Amino acid sequence: MLGVVAITLAYLTFIWIVFVRFKWMRFTPTWGLISAFFLLHLLIVPLVGTRMQSPYSTDVRVVRHTIQLVPRLPEPTMVTEVRVKENMPVKKGDILFVFDQSIYKSQVRAAQAAVVAAKQNAKILEADIAVAKDSVARAQSELDFAKVQQERFTTLASQRAGSQESADEWTSRVNSSEASLAEAQESQKRAELAYASQIDGVNTAVIQAEAELAQAQYYLDQTQMKAPNDGVIVNLQVQEGMVSGILRVGAIATLILDQDPYLIAAYRQENLMNVRPGQPVVVAINTYPGKHFTGKVDEIWYASRRGQYTPSGNLPLFPDIPLHTEARLPVKITLDDPSIQLGIGVGGATLILTSDNPFTWLGQISLRTYTWARWVYPLPI
């Protein structure tokens, strides 16, 4: 900037000495055109420097995080209470809507009963193992006795001291006792396998029943929709008596969060050549005409939807895509004072100060002209 001023002064001095002081030459129209052309280019230099050293944008908007409030219920449920109003501030944990709880309370009670029954069944399975072991022991004793008797009567029959029919009868009883023992042993295995169906020492039927209880309790809790964070309720679409739930598409209200608002400013691509995160920013907000605020560059989003194509087997047809128009890149800006009220979607202007270069004075004038012009009505400046 100082170089431009020096060159301008030197050229004016040259004109004054040659054409005014000593009158060595006559100031002709040709010299007038040359001088105008020279001075015009010197005036363009600050304008070009301003674009690079202090980028200015009026394509600015306030962005706030929003949460779509959608009921998390498994079936259509009637709204019994609406405890909020449009544009009403709420705190995290405040109850916003209450839904009919009768069905979900019944489901919780049924799930609680299922948990108790599953725990009792687990105890029964443990008792079944003891019963099966007793049955195995009894069958083993009967088999041992039958074998002794079989051997005894077989010996007597061989010595013709007893009948062969008695020996054959005890042989049949041995076979029957062996079958009974095998059946008792299988019953014991089944009882042990049923009892061994555990995860971390807890019967799987109990775990399943407890999971169903937790799900039923979750849906019962969802009959009271609470604010997930501090914010303001807008777009309220529900009233008492309406039915909401799985068959309803979309949210019944929107919560605009209080925390972490920021501004997005769109800049031409070449204007971001010297922009870096952390640089100071002067901000004008339309809801505060005549005022300006300080902030800083938080992030530069080097991304544009123009560079994204939907995967398909079709080759891109570039005449259908307006490549001749330049895509601007967004810059995320945060204000130094978090107490400033920023309405979502509010516009404004931003001036990024990439350095202390004197070129920034033109941008400072532009920004202050913008914010003071918001007082002028009806001129849409």
Side-chain angles (χ1 to χ4, degrees):
M1 185 66 181
L2 295 178
V4 173
V5 174
I7 294 173
T8 303
L9 292 177
Y11 184 77
L12 292 177
T13 302
F14 168 78
I15 295 295
W16 181 77
I17 293 175
V18 173
F19 297 102
V20 178
R21 179 67 177 86
F22 296 105
K23 297 181 180 180
W24 292 333
M25 299 177 62
R26 187 169 62 88
F27 194 79
T28 62
T30 301
W31 273 105
L33 291 175
I34 294 175
S35 300
F37 183 79
F38 182 76
L39 294 175
L40 179 62
H41 279 71
L42 290 177
L43 291 176
I44 292 176
V45 171
L47 298 179
V48 174
T50 297
R51 294 173 62 242
M52 305 302 177
Q53 299 298 327
S54 56
Y56 172 77
S57 175
T58 58
D59 189 0
V60 179
R61 67 205 65 183
V62 175
V63 179
R64 304 192 76 102
H65 298 288
T66 61
I67 297 178
Q68 306 303 311
L69 301 177
V70 181
R72 300 294 300 274
L73 298 173
E75 55 188 275
T77 309
M78 180 179 295
V79 180
T80 58
E81 292 183 53
V82 178
R83 300 188 181 182
V84 292
K85 297 181 180 179
E86 188 78 24
N87 204 34
M88 175 180 173
V90 296
K91 295 293 183 181
K92 182 178 181 179
D94 289 350
I95 298 177
L96 309 178
F97 311 105
V98 179
F99 300 86
D100 185 17
Q101 301 179 344
S102 55
I103 298 176
Y104 304 101
K105 286 183 178 179
S106 299
Q107 293 175 349
V108 168
R109 287 195 294 270
Q112 290 172 340
V115 170
V116 174
K119 291 181 178 180
Q120 289 298 108
N121 289 335
K123 295 179 180 179
I124 293 174
L125 291 175
E126 186 176 4
D128 288 343
I129 294 176
V131 172
K133 288 181 178 180
D134 292 340
S135 298
V136 169
R138 183 171 59 253
Q140 184 66 53
S141 297
E142 292 176 354
L143 176 61
D144 294 341
F145 177 76
K147 286 182 176 180
V148 170
Q149 292 295 92
Q150 178 193 25
E151 182 179 358
R152 176 184 176 188
F153 279 94
T154 299
T155 301
L156 291 174
S158 64
Q159 296 175 355
R160 297 184 181 276
S163 63
Q164 185 63 39
E165 289 81 0
S166 297
D168 293 340
E169 180 182 355
W170 282 107
T171 299
S172 176
R173 289 187 180 184
V174 167
N175 294 333
S176 177
S177 296
E178 287 177 346
S180 298
L181 176 61
E183 183 180 358
Q185 289 174 340
E186 289 298 324
S187 297
Q188 180 181 348
K189 289 181 181 179
R190 287 196 299 270
E192 290 175 345
L193 289 174
Y195 182 76
S197 177
Q198 298 179 351
I199 298 176
D200 295 332
V202 182
N203 186 267
T204 53
V206 175
I207 294 176
Q208 183 177 1
E210 289 177 343
E212 293 175 353
L213 173 60
Q215 183 180 29
Q217 185 63 50
Y218 169 79
Y219 285 129
L220 177 60
D221 295 339
Q222 293 303 308
T223 57
Q224 289 187 344
M225 183 179 289
K226 299 180 181 180
N229 216 319
D230 298 349
V232 177
I233 293 293
V234 297
N235 195 28
L236 183 63
Q237 302 181 31
V238 65
Q239 297 296 328
E240 295 181 4
M242 291 180 61
V243 175
S244 183
I246 194 171
L247 298 181
R248 185 181 178 90
V249 179
I252 60 177
T254 301
L255 178 66
I256 302 176
L257 302 187
D258 292 339
Q259 65 181 15
D260 301 329
Y262 61 91
L263 292 90
I264 286 293
Y267 283 92
R268 293 183 179 275
Q269 298 171 19
E270 67 274 11
N271 292 356
L272 300 178
M273 181 178 65
N274 298 317
V275 176
R276 301 290 183 272
Q279 290 175 341
V281 182
V282 184
V283 179
I285 302 174
N286 291 348
T287 51
Y288 298 94
K291 296 182 180 180
H292 63 276
F293 308 93
T294 59
K296 64 178 180 180
V297 176
D298 194 318
E299 293 177 322
I300 305 170
W301 295 350
Y302 291 103
S304 172
R305 192 173 62 181
R306 291 168 56 89
Q308 182 183 29
Y309 296 94
T310 303
S312 69
N314 300 324
L315 297 177
L317 186 62
F318 291 108
D320 289 345
I321 305 175
L323 293 176
H324 60 280
T325 58
E326 179 186 356
R328 301 195 177 191
L329 297 179
V331 177
K332 180 181 177 182
I333 297 171
T334 55
L335 296 182
D336 294 334
D337 186 359
S339 65
I340 299 173
Q341 296 296 321
L342 300 175
I344 185 171
V346 170
T350 57
L351 177 71
I352 302 175
L353 305 178
T354 62
S355 66
D356 296 331
N357 195 293
F359 282 123
T360 62
W361 67 270
L362 285 177
Q364 298 272 9
I365 293 175
S366 299
L367 184 129
R368 284 162 175 76
T369 301
Y370 173 89
T371 185
W372 281 106
R374 305 305 296 182
W375 289 103
V376 180
Y377 184 87
L379 299 179
I381 301 178

